[in-house]
């Protein structure tokens, strides 16, 4: 198990070459891919998320940790698929229609991936229809919407209305966030959850799908 | 003493600050006027006013801000709003030459704001953003700026009334952001003579520690690159000290007199 601890700590340092090497070593040592993922990569990423939430580390430090995770996933991903390991959930992430801000959305996507979610990144300026299609056709059980402008917040409501028309409301959980967004606004428009930062978004997403 | 080479726009009266939002709601003239005065006295040539946090009441609050601020200081304002109706109401009561802050190179936003700028012959800020994306690359920023200025001058706006903002993204997230925006400034200068180039530094330091240090350094670099208008808090003494030093270093402070005076006045830190 010592190997996985070392793997987690390399990830927390953002040391991508070490993460890549240690992941391969763990595979060669016969440790299962799911165990390496949970005990090494996700374990490390959870500490990173926690530290970020507590303002102990800065965004660039989260970014290099995510890059390191990616280095390990290159080896692990095909093995996980082969072993039939399912992601903990699938979330379609996007910045809403009319809004071109992608930093917050990318951070949340990174945190979600770091915690075992499959992320469908819909990008920026995402129409309500595109969110609905992601839920319908790509099997997302969560939708994550970001808005950084008071003027684009209404697009969140438009998406929720569109989900309702498609009969998906309740089946697909909706999580929203962004600087001007509040819990009150989330309740008002009927979103299932609100998160004030990227690390809390993961906790909230897990809570919404009963993990 | 020669006038400062850099034109400063004071950003403090912004409704995204809780204290300002509250003052607007309570129509607290004294607080708003205090914020205007301290910025003006610290060297802001323009005062930015923003009531964007109030979607419904912006059309009422923005002109109120204009009247309130101009009752206290004799300075033109930057009308910081995406809402054409609010901007129009503010322009109706504004004294002197206002600046509309801002538009992007998107048809809808141009169509709404440009006629107002023409009608009131005021200035206008254009961000190097089009309907597709917020480009990072210097060349793309310059390309958008050139197209936008062409459209604005064709509509009847004078070049000297156009302020191009080559938008900088946070370096903590996009490591190339600072470098590319700094590279865009001389490109835009060369491609479009006669316009102003304005930069804000609030964004560049987002999510990093000691933001004032990054902002001051970035602004000094932007000045060297050719920025002539800055969106910065003149009440922030460390940022201002760096601006004054940069002016001396760039030969924009004859005999460094302004630098020396600032030192004597204690504006450059401890003697």
């Amino acid at each position: 198990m010592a190997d996985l601890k070392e793997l987690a700590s390399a990830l927390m340092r953002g040391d991508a070459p070490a993460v890549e090497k240690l992941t391969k070593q763990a595979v060669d040592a016969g440790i299962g891919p799911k165990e390496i993922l949970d005990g090494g990569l996700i374990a490390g990423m959870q500490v990173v998320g926690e530290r970020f939430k507590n303002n102990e580390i800065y965004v660039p430090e989260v970014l290099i940790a995510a890059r390191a995770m990616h280095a390990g996933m290159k080896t692990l991903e095909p093995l996980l698929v082969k072993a039939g390991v399912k992601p903990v959930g699938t979330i379609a992430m996007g910045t809403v229609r009319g809004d071109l801000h992608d930093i917050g959305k990318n951070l949340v996507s990174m945190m979600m991936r770091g915690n075992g979610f499959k992320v469908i990144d819909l990008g920026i300026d995402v129409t309500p229809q595109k969110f609905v299609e992601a839920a319908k056709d790509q099997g997302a059980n969560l939708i994550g919407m970001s808005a950084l402008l008071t003027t684009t917040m209404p697009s969140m409501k438009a998406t929720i209305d569109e989900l309702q028309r498609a009969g998906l409301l309740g089946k697909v959980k909706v999580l929203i966030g962004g600087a001007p967004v509040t819990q009150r606004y989330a309740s008002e428009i009927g979103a299932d959850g609100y998160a004030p930062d990227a690390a809390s978004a993961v906790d909230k997403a897990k809570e919404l799908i009963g993990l | 003493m020669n006038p400062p080479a850099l034109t400063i726009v004071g950003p403090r009266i912004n409704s995204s600050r809780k204290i300002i939002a509250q003052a607007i709601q309570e129509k607290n003239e004294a607080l708003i006027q205090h914020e205007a005065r301290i910025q003006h006295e610290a060297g802001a040539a323009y005062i930015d006013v923003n009531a964007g946090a109030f979607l419904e009441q912006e059309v009422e609050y923005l002109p109120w801000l204009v009247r309130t601020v101009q009752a206290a200081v004799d300075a033109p304002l930057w009308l910081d709003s995406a809402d054409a109706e609010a901007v129009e109401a503010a322009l109706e009561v504004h004294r002197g030459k206002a600046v509309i802050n801002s538009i992007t190179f998107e048809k809808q936003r141009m169509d709404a704001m440009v006629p107002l700028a023409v009608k009131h012959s005021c200035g206008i800020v254009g961000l190097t953003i089009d309907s597709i994306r917020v480009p990072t690359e210097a060349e793309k920023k310059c390309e958008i700026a050139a197209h936008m200025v062409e459209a604005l001058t064709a509509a009847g706006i004078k070049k000297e009334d156009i302020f191009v903002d080559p938008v900088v993204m946070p370096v903590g997230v996009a490591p190339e952001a600072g470098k590319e925006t700094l590279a865009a400034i001389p490109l835009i200068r060369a491609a479009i003579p006669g316009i102003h180039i304005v930069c804000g530094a609030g964004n560049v330091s987002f999510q990093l520690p000691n933001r004032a240090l990054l902002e001051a350094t970035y602004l000094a670099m932007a000045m060297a690159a050719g920025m002539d208008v800055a969106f910065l808090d003149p009440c922030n003494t460390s940022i201002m000290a760096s601006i004054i030093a940069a002016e001396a270093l760039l030969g924009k402070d004859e005999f460094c007199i302004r630098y020396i005076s600032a030192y004597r006045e204690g504006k450059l830190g401890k003697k």
Side-chain angles (χ1 to χ4, degrees):
Chain A
M1 284 335 262
D3 283 343
L4 293 188
K5 259 195 192 140
E6 207 182 319
L7 176 57
S9 98
L11 184 137
M12 292 182 311
R13 289 197 307 275
D15 187 342
V19 167
E20 192 172 353
K21 195 180 82 192
L22 290 166
T23 304
K24 282 186 181 144
Q25 278 175 7
V27 171
D28 291 344
I31 306 175
K34 173 90 169 109
E35 210 179 331
I36 301 172
L37 179 69
D38 290 346
L41 301 181
I42 292 181
M45 207 59 195
Q46 275 169 345
V47 176
V48 169
E50 199 59 32
R51 288 182 182 165
F52 180 58
K53 192 159 65 181
N54 297 333
N55 295 318
E56 291 163 26
I57 59 170
Y58 295 97
V59 168
E61 295 170 293
V62 178
L63 299 184
I64 57 166
R67 187 177 66 182
M69 171 138 190
H70 187 70
M73 285 306 280
K74 276 192 298 195
T75 303
L76 225 45
E77 206 139 39
L79 300 174
L80 286 165
V81 172
K82 214 159 102 188
V85 177
K86 295 260 178 296
V88 300
T90 300
I91 182 162
M93 290 286 312
T95 306
V96 297
R97 183 177 57 200
D99 203 319
L100 304 177
H101 294 84
D102 66 351
I103 293 168
K105 183 263 299 167
N106 291 348
L107 263 180
V108 174
S109 298
M110 226 173 276
M111 287 289 183
M112 292 288 176
R113 286 198 183 100
N115 282 272
F117 281 84
K118 180 183 170 192
V119 175
I120 303 166
D121 189 344
L122 300 174
I124 54 175
D125 195 12
V126 179
T127 60
Q129 292 76 12
K130 271 204 260 174
F131 279 111
V132 170
E133 280 163 23
K136 243 203 276 188
D137 308 333
Q138 300 185 64
N141 58 344
L142 280 157
I143 282 179
M145 285 189 276
S146 165
L148 267 292
L149 302 169
T150 49
T151 49
T152 55
M153 278 164 61
S155 300
M156 292 179 155
K157 170 136 193 352
T159 303
I160 290 175
D161 292 346
E162 199 65 32
L163 282 168
Q164 179 146 39
R165 270 193 288 279
L168 290 168
L169 209 57
K171 289 181 202 151
V172 177
K173 300 293 180 187
V174 178
L175 180 61
I176 65 172
V181 180
T182 58
Q183 176 60 53
R184 206 177 110 198
Y185 184 71
S187 312
E188 251 174 55
I189 64 168
D192 298 291
Y194 157 77
D197 59 70
S200 322
V202 174
D203 299 340
K204 199 72 197 177
K206 285 183 175 168
E207 182 195 315
L208 289 177
I209 58 172
L211 283 179
Chain B
M1 193 166 70
N2 48 343
L6 183 73
T7 302
I8 294 171
V9 186
R12 294 173 62 95
I13 304 179
N14 190 306
S15 58
S16 66
R17 293 175 63 201
K18 281 203 177 72
I19 177 176
I20 298 295
Q22 196 187 347
I24 293 173
Q25 244 171 341
E26 294 168 357
K27 299 270 164 90
N28 182 344
E29 291 185 0
L31 190 141
I32 297 294
Q33 290 177 339
H34 172 73
E35 289 283 323
R37 241 179 246 120
I38 57 172
Q39 294 184 90
H40 192 52
E41 280 161 14
Y46 293 97
I47 310 288
D48 187 84
V49 287
N50 170 301
F54 306 98
L55 272 187
E56 305 296 319
Q57 299 98 338
E58 192 183 1
V59 64
E60 173 204 338
Y61 289 161
L62 198 63
W64 177 79
L65 279 176
V66 170
R67 278 197 305 266
T68 306
V69 169
Q70 288 199 319
V73 297
D74 190 17
L77 309 188
W78 280 31
L79 308 173
D80 188 349
S81 170
D83 185 83
E85 228 178 298
V87 168
E88 185 161 26
L91 282 169
E92 298 292 340
V93 298
H94 185 277
R95 219 173 50 230
K97 198 174 175 104
V99 177
I100 298 173
N101 180 22
S102 58
I103 55 162
T104 52
F105 191 47
E106 292 174 275
K107 191 174 182 318
Q108 208 184 343
R109 298 189 63 178
M110 301 268 294
D111 286 352
M113 292 289 191
V114 174
L116 292 177
V118 174
K119 183 179 163 199
H120 292 266
S121 48
C122 62
I124 192 160
V125 179
L127 310 176
T128 54
I129 295 174
D130 60 17
S131 50
I132 304 155
R133 63 197 190 111
V134 187
T136 309
E137 307 84 355
E139 290 77 16
K140 183 71 188 158
K141 286 178 196 287
C142 183
E143 192 187 313
I144 294 177
H147 287 312
M148 184 160 49
V149 170
E150 203 180 301
L152 291 174
T153 48
I157 297 174
K158 290 196 204 106
K159 272 194 174 173
E160 65 257 35
D161 291 338
I162 300 173
F163 299 76
V164 170
D165 180 345
V167 191
V168 65
M169 299 303 283
V171 284
V173 184
E176 306 286 301
K179 187 186 80 177
E180 290 294 325
T181 303
L182 290 168
I185 296 171
L187 289 183
I188 295 169
R189 268 271 168 267
I192 327 164
I195 53 146
H196 297 286
I197 296 180
V198 57
C199 296
N203 219 13
V204 80
S205 60
F206 181 67
Q207 294 280 9
L208 287 172
N210 198 349
R211 296 185 65 167
L213 174 62
L214 279 170
E215 287 170 31
T217 307
Y218 177 74
L219 288 167
M221 294 168 88
M223 283 171 73
M227 165 190 79
D228 65 321
V229 183
F231 201 71
L232 68 87
D233 183 359
C235 303
N236 184 320
T237 47
S238 65
I239 291 179
M240 282 306 277
S242 159
I243 298 291
I244 292 166
E247 284 179 340
L249 291 168
L250 291 168
K252 294 181 172 181
D253 175 6
E254 208 184 359
F255 294 104
C256 302
I257 296 300
R258 201 168 117 82
Y259 182 82
I260 295 167
S261 312
Y263 172 75
R264 290 215 177 94
E265 289 162 22
K267 288 180 180 168
L268 303 183
K270 268 195 204 118
K271 281 195 207 179

